[in-house]
Amino acid sequence: MSNLIIAPVVLPAVLAPFILMVIRHHLDLQRIFSMAGSIALVCISLVLTHQASGGEIQVYELGDWPAPFGIVLVLDRLSALMVLLTSVLGLCVNLYVISTDWDKRGEHFHPLFQFQLMGVCGAFLTGDAFNLFVFFEVLLIASYGLMIHGGGADRLRAGMQYVVYNLLGSTLFLFALGTIYAVTGTLNMADLAVRIAELPADDTALIRVGAVLLLLVFCIKAAVLPLHFWLPGSYANAPAPVAALFAIMTKVGAYSILRMYTLVFGPELALSAGLVGQWLLPAALLTLAVGMVGILGSRDISKLAVFAAIGSMGTLLIAIALFTPLATGAAIYYIVHSTLATAMIFLVSDLIIERRGKEIKPAPRMAQNGLISALFFVAAIALAGMPPLSGFLGKLMVLQASTGTPHQTLIWSVILIFSLVAIIGFARAGSLIFWKTTDPMEDLDLEEVQVAPLQTQGTIMVFVPIFALLFGLVALTIFAEPAIEYANATAEQLFDTSAYIDAVLGETAK
């Protein structure tokens, strides 16, 4: 048992109250400790990913209580990858926030930020369904505080909507867990897998209700249509760096679907057979279509970034809904790409908003127009799935995984047609923002025509986290072969549930 497994949860959990109670009035110290914690989390995640890459599943028993009696944290390829992705994204967002002074616009950004990292990492590592609910609630509380950071009526209104929808999801989550516990007497995921597989055929009706409720909850978290209503207003009105961090939030829902519906409600079970594919695939196709059409119809840059995030979730969920090892490998590769690309478009959007406002319309040329337009172009082609970046490879993998399925024609048509719609939408927005100007004296010094004289326009540090995300996309493309091999190996490990069950339960499973 490696004690390092619990570090991604304990580190931010200790750091957040320390910042809040000891150095709350010293912003410079908050920044130092928050950045040090983010860097340490990346280093820990790299070590954990290296440990998991060999295929061994490690278990940490809290309080030294063995499963299923105690709560366990489980490290496998998927959880290690998701924790690493979270830590890298957190580091980039933290650096951007400090570089742009976003943390000066409200109170307690860094403690909330650390609690957010704790909730996300805990959700990825836990091996207990009730503990997953607990970490979901940590996410909800911290994300609400981050969302309304800086104040404002619109932000507060969007935050209330966000809380209401997610509390509804939390209530359904409790109902689902209560139903499942009433039938099985356990909420340990590995133990659930064993007990549900042994249920008599006549006693599966109630457990199927629990499975459906869980899927509904995870679809709310993943912003699947028609359960996505909380996301556009919430993300569009949240501070852009916070929205960039939230790029991993919807992935928690996608991760939960992968984990629960391969391990607990596996495809071999009659009670859950076809549950994910029959219900999730149509919703995923609709999510992709609405997201890409939203890009085309957006009138402000924040909404464009939001609909790009929705569209990318649609593509990801199509792969998950196919529910095969090949499609799951494609989904895992696309999770990494989508998170990096979505965070990048939110950060680039923030640079644009600070210089010329939200509206997508001709305006005076902004400072650093050429550099920002290049970054916007890269983020756009990544999210639209154009070559040569990893989005193109990810969509090819999804298309390949759908080949030979009954819905192949529909999936290919939706992905290809609405990818073209996204390209047109991004091209329209880019031409209006970067190529058209209302200032006839274009040769003037940029500082004479810039709209927002903020310090973010004068520091190169603000671009470092954006280039870091770009570097991640490029690395995912250049090293596509080992990345795809890792994704496929992760998918195989997910579908080989016996290894997970044996690692968690040990002799109890026998």
Side-chain angles (χ1 to χ4, degrees):
M1 181 174 69
S2 172
N3 293 329
L4 196 62
I5 299 175
I6 200 173
V9 180
V10 170
L11 176 62
V14 171
L15 196 55
F18 171 78
I19 294 174
L20 184 62
M21 294 186 291
V22 179
I23 55 176
R24 62 184 300 178
H25 300 300
H26 304 278
L27 182 59
D28 289 339
L29 288 177
Q30 289 185 42
R31 290 175 168 181
I32 291 171
F33 277 92
S34 185
M35 278 300 298
S38 297
I39 293 170
L41 185 59
V42 171
C43 296
I44 292 169
S45 303
L46 286 170
V47 174
L48 291 176
T49 304
H50 175 72
Q51 292 179 357
S53 62
E56 180 185 358
I57 298 176
Q58 300 183 46
V59 179
Y60 181 89
E61 299 171 345
L62 276 73
D64 208 25
W65 283 85
F69 308 106
I71 295 173
V72 296
L73 301 180
V74 184
L75 182 76
D76 62 358
R77 284 191 174 102
L78 181 59
S79 58
L81 175 64
M82 297 306 294
V83 170
L84 176 61
L85 183 61
T86 302
S87 64
V88 170
L89 179 62
L91 178 60
C92 292
V93 171
N94 204 359
L95 180 58
Y96 184 87
V97 166
I98 294 172
S99 301
T100 56
D101 284 337
W102 258 107
D103 52 352
K104 289 183 177 180
R105 305 188 190 187
E107 298 291 331
H108 311 309
F109 177 88
H110 292 288
L112 290 169
F113 177 80
Q114 294 298 326
F115 276 127
Q116 184 78 20
L117 293 181
M118 169 196 168
V120 175
C121 291
F124 291 143
L125 287 169
T126 185
D128 184 272
F130 184 78
N131 217 31
L132 180 62
F133 166 79
V134 172
F135 284 119
F136 269 25
E137 295 314 293
V138 174
L139 288 177
L140 176 62
I141 296 169
S143 59
Y144 175 71
L146 290 172
M147 180 173 296
I148 62 173
H149 181 76
D154 291 340
R155 194 165 292 164
L156 184 60
R157 189 181 308 111
M160 288 300 296
Q161 177 184 345
Y162 170 81
V163 169
V164 169
Y165 274 105
N166 279 274
L167 283 178
L168 174 62
S170 298
T171 304
L172 291 176
F173 203 167
L174 279 179
F175 286 156
L177 293 180
T179 302
I180 294 171
Y181 186 81
V183 176
T184 63
T186 184
L187 288 175
N188 179 279
M189 294 180 187
D191 199 29
L192 277 173
V194 174
R195 298 196 184 193
I196 291 176
E198 295 174 348
L199 284 177
D202 296 337
D203 295 337
T204 58
L206 197 57
I207 204 71
R208 184 174 176 85
V209 171
V212 172
L213 286 176
L214 274 184
L215 182 60
L216 187 63
V217 171
F218 298 149
C219 285
I220 292 175
K221 301 295 183 182
V224 180
L225 266 75
L227 306 171
H228 75 298
F229 296 110
W230 61 271
L231 190 144
S234 302
Y235 280 32
N237 288 287
V242 173
L245 179 63
F246 286 2
I248 197 68
M249 292 271 287
T250 50
K251 307 307 184 299
V252 175
Y255 166 88
S256 300
I257 294 173
L258 281 175
R259 178 67 71 191
M260 292 296 291
Y261 292 89
T262 54
L263 176 63
V264 179
F265 304 105
E268 74 283 353
L269 288 180
L271 70 93
S272 58
L275 181 61
V276 174
Q278 289 177 5
W279 295 98
L280 186 59
L281 182 57
L285 292 168
L286 185 60
T287 302
L288 171 60
V290 170
M292 297 314 186
V293 171
I295 294 173
L296 183 61
S298 295
R299 293 295 179 264
D300 72 63
I301 191 67
S302 296
K303 288 290 181 66
L304 181 141
V306 168
F307 282 109
I310 293 173
S312 71
M313 281 303 300
T315 304
L316 169 61
L317 291 165
I318 289 171
I320 293 176
L322 293 173
F323 218 53
T324 64
L326 181 62
T328 301
I332 292 168
Y333 180 87
Y334 197 82
I335 281 176
V336 180
H337 159 80
S338 173
T339 303
L340 298 177
T342 301
M344 184 177 177
I345 195 67
F346 275 114
L347 295 186
V348 173
S349 298
D350 187 57
L351 295 180
I352 296 170
I353 292 169
E354 297 291 355
R355 288 158 172 76
R356 69 189 305 279
K358 286 187 174 184
E359 290 189 74
I360 300 176
K361 65 179 183 180
R365 182 183 296 178
M366 59 185 170
Q368 298 157 320
N369 187 78
L371 177 58
I372 296 175
S373 65
L375 292 173
F376 178 85
F377 173 75
V378 172
I381 64 173
L383 285 165
M386 294 176 61
L389 291 179
S390 50
F392 177 70
L393 299 177
K395 286 193 175 181
L396 279 182
M397 292 173 66
V398 177
L399 293 175
Q400 181 185 12
S402 68
T403 302
T405 64
H407 304 289
Q408 175 185 344
T409 303
L410 178 61
I411 293 172
W412 278 62
S413 300
V414 171
I415 290 178
L416 295 177
I417 291 172
F418 288 100
S419 293
L420 177 61
V421 171
I423 293 169
I424 297 171
F426 279 122
R428 168 193 161 274
S431 64
L432 288 173
I433 293 171
F434 301 109
W435 291 352
K436 294 188 177 181
T437 175
T438 58
D439 187 350
M441 304 179 65
E442 294 186 11
D443 293 330
L444 286 177
D445 184 8
L446 291 179
E447 292 187 0
E448 296 180 18
V449 298
Q450 66 187 20
V451 175
L454 298 177
Q455 65 177 358
T456 59
Q457 298 178 0
T459 173
I460 195 64
M461 283 301 296
V462 71
F463 293 99
V464 172
I466 301 177
F467 275 105
L469 294 170
L470 173 58
F471 175 79
L473 292 172
V474 173
L476 195 61
T477 307
I478 295 175
F479 301 102
E481 184 176 357
I484 293 171
E485 288 177 357
Y486 185 94
N488 289 333
T490 303
E492 292 176 4
Q493 189 179 58
L494 270 176
F495 281 85
D496 180 19
T497 57
S498 59
Y500 186 101
I501 295 170
D502 289 343
V504 174
L505 300 181
E507 293 298 325
T508 307
K510 302 172 184 178

